[in-house]
């Protein structure tokens, strides 16, 4: 039985998931996620954003490129509405960033005062973000709305940083997911994403204890297969326990610290200090006792190299080695960890952080 065309269109309109607008059907371009196209009255609205991931660092200014055009081109200008928002990550809500109509624009939330629309070229609607923060990395959508038509493209922003495993002072596998998030924040870091952990594994990170990632999965990176880490018969890679219960299951955590703002240094002091004395000594020097994420960032991006163990803000004692040498730990660069000593111990100095 053949249905009349109006009836068929009505039935199709009632099927959820089909992109109908104003009684017309529009199909997305097969050219990929970074080229949105919409067809109206024989004219295509096309939004272009870069295919490659953009990399920047905390505290920097960055521009997320976005341009649009029409095919065939339209000679007369058309008023459009621009909307930028950050896509949801792991259950977090989407975040409105900026909307603009003509010369008027409005920014939202933590982006207020930090974002602007860049329109230096014809039909450019790029987003400028100032003073990048740790939580700014992720995927952003640029949407252009022309009347009833709208098309969009994605821009992915990553911050340069360092991934490090973090363990509770009472030992391994003590954090549920929410506690893991808090632990990373207290170390001037955030829970690492899988992409960040994978990149760290490619750079040589090898760690046998499983830890939370941003998507609430639990994984660990292995570059050298061995018995305690899945067995010697498995290929190197990032091992996965899969998604875990955010409240009931307990593991370590992989944190991500972005490039350092300020300076981390070993405080030259005539004697070793207790933890309380170490905090006070940094304050007297016009600084604060350094956090673990800050020490890792100083080691990774500033080449901090010191063979003296020092207190950090979480009560652990560590030291950074950029150039391995005898009597300074293993033959690999890294952060040497003495765990969480008795806070009354006078065996250690202190690492301080001086913000800019």
């Amino acid at each position: 039985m053949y249905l009349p065309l109006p009836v068929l269109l009505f039935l199709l309109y009632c099927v959820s998931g089909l992109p109908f607008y104003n009684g017309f059907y529009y199909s997305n371009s097969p050219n990929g996620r970074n080229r949105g196209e919409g067809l109206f009255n024989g004219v295509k609205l096309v939004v272009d954003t870069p295919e490659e991931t953009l990399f920047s660092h905390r505290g920097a200014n960055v521009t997320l490129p976005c341009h649009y055009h029409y095919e065939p081109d339209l000679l007369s200008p058309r008023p459009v509405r621009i909307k930028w928002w950050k896509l949801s990550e792991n259950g977090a809500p989407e975040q409105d960033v900026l909307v603009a109509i003509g010369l008027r624009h409005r920014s939202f939330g933590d982006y207020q005062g930090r974002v602007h629309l860049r329109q230096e070229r014809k039909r450019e609607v790029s987003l400028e973000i100032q003073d990048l923060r740790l939580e700014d990395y992720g995927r952003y959508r640029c949407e252009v709305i022309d009347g009833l038509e709208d098309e969009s493209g994605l821009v992915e922003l990553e911050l340069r940083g360092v991934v490090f495993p973090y363990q509770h002072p009472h030992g391994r596998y003590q954090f549920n997911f929410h506690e893991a998030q808090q632990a990373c924040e207290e170390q001037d870091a955030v829970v690492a994403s899988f992409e960040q952990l994978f990149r760290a594994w490619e750079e040589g990170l090898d760690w046998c204890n499983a830890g939370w990632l941003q998507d609430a999965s639990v994984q660990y990176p292995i570059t050298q297969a061995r018995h305690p880490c899945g067995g010697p018969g498995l290929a190197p890679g990032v091992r996965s326990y899969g998604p875990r219960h955010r409240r009931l299951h307990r593991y370590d955590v992989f944190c991500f610290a972005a490039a350092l703002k300020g300076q981390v240094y070993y405080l030259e002091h005539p004697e070793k200090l207790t933890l309380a004395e170490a905090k006070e000594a940094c304050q007297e020097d016009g600084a604060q006792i350094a956090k673990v994420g800050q020490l890792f960032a100083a080691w990774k991006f500033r080449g901090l190299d010191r063979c003296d163990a020092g207190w950090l803000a979480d009560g652990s004692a560590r030291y950074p080695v950029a150039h391995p040498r005898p009597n300074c730990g293993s033959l690999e660069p890294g952060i040497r960890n003495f765990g969480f000593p008795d806070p009354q111990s006078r065996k250690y100095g202190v690492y301080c952080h001086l913000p800019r």
Side-chain angles (χ1 to χ4, degrees):
M1 179 179 71
Y2 294 96
L3 296 174
L5 181 59
V7 175
L8 181 60
L9 287 174
F10 176 77
L11 291 175
L12 286 172
Y13 180 81
C14 296
V15 177
S16 64
L18 290 180
F20 272 78
Y21 302 95
N22 198 29
F24 293 89
Y25 176 73
Y26 303 94
S27 61
N28 288 330
S29 164
N31 293 335
R33 66 176 179 89
N34 295 83
R35 185 180 172 90
E37 297 180 356
L39 183 66
F40 60 101
N41 296 328
V43 178
K44 275 195 297 190
L45 169 62
V46 181
V47 174
D48 287 306
T49 49
E51 292 280 351
E52 66 277 2
T53 299
L54 302 182
F55 285 86
S56 190
H57 57 87
R58 183 167 59 174
N61 300 335
V62 67
T63 298
L64 309 187
C66 183
H67 300 79
Y68 71 96
H69 65 276
Y70 299 94
E71 297 178 358
D73 193 16
L74 298 178
L75 297 179
S76 58
R78 295 174 61 90
V80 296
R81 179 174 180 264
I82 308 301
K83 180 179 178 182
W84 278 93
W85 75 90
K86 187 180 181 188
L87 273 63
S88 60
E89 301 284 349
N90 312 311
E94 291 184 344
Q95 294 177 265
D96 289 335
V97 177
L98 177 144
V99 293
I101 301 176
L103 297 178
R104 295 179 298 164
H105 74 275
R106 178 184 176 188
S107 53
F108 301 89
D110 292 337
Y111 292 98
Q112 286 184 310
R114 295 196 299 128
V115 294
H116 303 277
L117 205 60
R118 177 175 175 175
Q119 297 176 290
E120 295 182 355
R121 295 164 50 191
K122 180 180 178 181
R123 293 172 181 159
E124 179 184 13
V125 287
S126 303
L127 181 71
E128 292 184 339
I129 308 178
Q130 298 176 343
D131 190 23
L132 280 176
R133 301 174 182 176
L134 265 176
E135 59 273 18
D136 285 342
Y137 80 89
R139 296 179 301 154
Y140 291 78
R141 185 174 292 280
C142 169
E143 182 179 39
V144 179
I145 304 166
D146 183 340
L148 295 176
E149 321 310 327
D150 64 276
E151 288 302 327
S152 63
L154 287 179
V155 183
E156 187 162 354
L157 174 65
E158 273 284 4
L159 298 186
R160 299 192 183 279
V162 56
V163 172
F164 61 94
Y166 190 75
Q167 196 171 86
H168 193 279
H170 295 161
R172 70 197 292 262
Y173 296 178
Q174 298 288 318
F175 296 122
N176 67 27
F177 179 72
H178 305 291
E179 292 165 344
Q181 288 180 309
Q182 181 179 351
C184 287
E185 289 174 5
E186 290 174 351
Q187 302 315 312
D188 198 26
V190 294
V191 179
S193 67
F194 171 78
E195 292 77 13
Q196 291 165 342
L197 181 66
F198 187 82
R199 193 175 299 116
W201 168 75
E202 289 182 314
E203 294 174 355
L205 180 61
D206 182 279
W207 196 258
C208 207
N209 289 346
W212 291 104
L213 293 181
Q214 188 189 80
D215 61 359
S217 67
V218 173
Q219 312 198 36
Y220 62 98
I222 296 299
T223 59
Q224 298 179 355
R226 51 200 185 274
H227 279 292
C229 308
L234 294 179
V238 178
R239 312 273 196 261
S240 177
Y241 286 18
R244 302 279 92 178
H245 195 287
R246 295 175 182 236
R247 183 170 53 85
L248 298 180
H249 291 143
R250 294 184 175 272
Y251 295 93
D252 294 343
V253 62
F254 289 99
C255 300
F256 174 82
L260 184 69
K261 293 183 69 174
Q263 176 190 4
V264 170
Y265 60 97
Y266 182 82
L267 180 64
E268 299 293 348
H269 199 272
E271 57 187 18
K272 303 299 183 182
L273 307 163
T274 66
L275 177 58
E277 291 169 345
K279 293 179 179 180
E280 184 178 352
C282 286
Q283 292 175 349
E284 291 175 351
D285 203 47
Q288 298 290 327
I289 187 170
K291 300 178 179 180
V292 176
Q294 294 165 348
L295 184 68
F296 267 93
W299 163 76
K300 177 76 172 180
F301 297 104
R302 304 285 178 82
L304 185 61
D305 183 277
R306 185 83 189 208
C307 213
D308 297 288
W311 290 107
L312 295 177
D314 65 338
S316 65
R318 310 175 192 239
Y319 66 94
V321 176
H323 307 289
R325 51 201 181 275
N327 303 320
C328 204
S330 78
L331 298 180
E332 297 293 329
I335 302 293
R336 313 290 190 245
N337 187 1
F338 285 76
F340 295 85
D342 178 353
Q344 299 302 317
S345 170
R346 292 182 180 274
K347 295 181 180 179
Y348 309 103
V350 63
Y351 287 92
C352 302
H353 174 238
L354 184 63
R356 275 188 190 145

